[in-house]
Each structure stands twice: as structure tokens, then as C-alpha cells.
Amino acid sequence: MTASPDYQAILETIAAKVRPLAAQGRVADYIPELAKVPADKFAMAVHTLDGRRFAVGDADERFSIQSISKLFTLLMALRMKKETLWQRVGREPSGNPFNSLVQLEHEQGIPRNPFINAGALVITDVLCRHFVQADRAVLEFLRRLSGATDLNFDSAVAESEAEHGYRNAAMANFIKSFGNLDSPVDTVLQSYFRQCAVRMSCQELATAGLLLANHGTVPASGEALLTPSEAKRINAILLTCGTYDAAGDFAFRVGLPAKSGVGGGILAILPGELAVAVWSPALDENGNSLAGAMALEHFTTLTGRSVF
């Protein structure tokens, strides 16, 4: 059996290599509250299925997870709706920006996948029909997976998103016009903005990600939340759709299923072994963390670990 890599040494090497990249990206200034986050922040955490934890940088500092929340809302919706979920949202890469409305017209209000904004709104609608307060249910689910009972929303970020969320509002109304949104548009939007504003650290995200690394079972409790088949399928969608319209390039460079967010976080999964979370707020042109994506590329290169 191949010896386990020296993850701590590798993380420290990666941090030294990628920190300078932050100066080349820009924070998500279209959400004013996110624009206030220092661009030079960096953190990375690796949690393995056998209980080892490694970290570098600001790995205990919480940040707005933004679209990483879409992974966990998909998990919740899939548990409830099973295969019928795919009647309302597709499983294909979009090839367009995450906030594009273009495809909805041609595809009759069925979003291309659950990780673009349109798809995430449909998933949020599923939760809104099932829970009295869907955003609270998402928060409790994240607390359960991460083991951090004090996780909470960043109300200032949620309010900032709501105040400037015209495109998401247009998208939700457009989907509603095709009959693919059952709840009131405002209910869906407010829940969506709040789930994106949950604050988590890289350590907490890596712990939460172990569910998918462990084929649908929470390692700490042994609780099976997904079947191995469901976990496999979610990992597949992460690989093909999880990093916006850069998913192909990300798979080529990194080779791990991953979900990114415009808060600068990326959560990646190596099934059967580990979860790794990285945070660097400065983004590339696709909305992915510039230093974060490079850190994960170095990680798979230096460890020799990927799904390929």
C-alpha cells in the first residue's frame, strides 16, 4: 500500500506558492458586504476518513460559503425527492455563467444543473415546500454535518445580496412563469440569500464534506444519509458542474469533484479518502477562487491523489 503523503508539509508548501496569486484576482464586489473581505486571506484544511486533520493559514476563520451551500441543499432535496428531483432540474454542465438567464428560455424553465443559480433556486423551492423555514433547516443540516453547533447566518451579507439580487429575482420569476417554482418567489429568494450567507471555516467545511468522501455515511456517527449510489452521482455532478463554466478546466487541472463559491471558498472531495477545503477571497473571471483553485491543483499534483 502506498504511504500516506505528508499532508501538513504539503499544505505549507502550497500556501507559500499560492498566496501571491491573491493580488491577481478580485473579491466579489457586486455583493458589497463581500467586497469588504481582505483579498489576502488564505486557508486550507484536509480531513481524512481515518480521523486525521491538517490545516494551514486562517483555517478556523469563518467566511460566507455562498454557492458551496448549493451542494448541501442538493443533498437535502435528493434525500426527500429521490429520482423525481431530476424532472425539475438537469444534470448537464451549463457552459454559461452561473447567473445566466439564456438557457431557461430555450429549456422551458428547467435549469441545466443544480449548481447554477437557476438550479439552486429550484432546489431551494423544494426545501421551501417541505420546511416551514427552509433556511433554518439548511443551517441545522450544516451544523449536524460539521459538528459546529454555533454556525449561523451573516445577516449583513444576506441583506446585501437581497438588496442587489435583481438578476436572481428575475431568474426566479422567469422559472415561476414556466411553472417550475411552487412557492412564492420572495419566499424562495429570501431563503436562498440566507443559505448562501452561512458562515463556515475551512475546518468545518472539510468535516461536512466527509459525508461524500465516505460514500454517503457520516464518519463521526455512522449515520447513512445517502446511498453509495446517490453519493457517487452527487460527486459526478460536482466534477462536471461544481465550478461554474470552468468545470472542464478545473477537472483537467485538479481532478477532484468540487463546489466553489464567490466568497472564495472551494470544497473538494476525494472519495474513499478525504475532503479538502480552501479559502482565498480573490476570484478569477469565472467566479472561482484564483489562489484556491491553484492550491487544489498543487494538492493533487504533490500528493498524487485524484479521481483519475
Side-chain angles (χ1 to χ4, degrees), residues 100-285:
S100 173
L101 287 86
V102 174
Q103 287 170 333
L104 284 172
E105 176 76 41
H106 299 292
E107 297 175 359
Q108 304 294 300
I110 306 294
R112 187 66 67 90
N113 68 69
F115 294 147
I116 55 175
N117 287 15
L121 288 167
V122 171
I123 297 297
T124 300
D125 179 55
V126 171
L127 301 185
C128 286
R129 297 293 289 177
H130 188 82
F131 298 103
V132 174
Q133 288 184 283
D135 55 329
R136 296 295 307 183
V138 174
L139 180 64
E140 290 302 325
F141 187 58
L142 289 168
R143 287 174 173 175
R144 180 174 163 193
L145 291 182
S146 66
T149 57
D150 63 338
L151 290 184
N152 221 323
F153 306 106
D154 186 324
S155 296
V157 170
E159 290 167 9
S160 186
E161 291 197 57
E163 187 176 344
H164 297 85
Y166 305 114
R167 184 174 286 266
N168 283 320
M171 212 174 290
N173 279 286
F174 202 44
I175 297 168
K176 183 83 167 177
S177 76
F178 283 103
N180 197 21
L181 214 67
D182 297 326
S183 305
V185 166
D186 190 59
T187 299
V188 173
L189 287 170
Q190 292 307 312
S191 183
Y192 175 71
F193 294 143
R194 283 175 64 77
Q195 78 186 37
C196 288
V198 172
R199 291 171 57 83
M200 296 178 72
S201 68
C202 281
Q203 297 272 32
E204 291 158 347
L205 277 171
T207 298
L210 287 176
L211 168 71
L212 286 174
N214 201 36
H215 312 298
T217 297
V218 180
S221 66
E223 183 181 13
L225 297 181
L226 301 169
T227 67
S229 178
E230 288 168 340
K232 175 197 74 174
R233 290 175 174 179
I234 288 177
N235 277 324
I237 299 171
L238 283 173
L239 184 69
T240 57
C241 307
T243 48
Y244 308 130
D245 49 331
D249 184 62
F250 189 90
F252 178 83
R253 291 169 50 202
V254 177
L256 292 177
K259 185 71 200 83
S260 59
V262 296
I266 306 175
L267 173 61
I269 309 297
L270 180 54
E273 290 196 37
L274 55 83
V276 51
V278 62
W279 173 49
S280 177
L283 310 177
D284 63 19
E285 65 276 8

Side-chain angles (χ1 to χ4, degrees), residues 72-87:
F72 298 102
T73 55
L74 174 61
L75 293 179
M76 295 172 72
L78 186 61
R79 291 184 70 210
M80 291 186 289
K81 294 296 185 182
K82 302 297 182 181
E83 288 300 303
T84 62
L85 182 67
W86 307 118
Q87 296 170 10

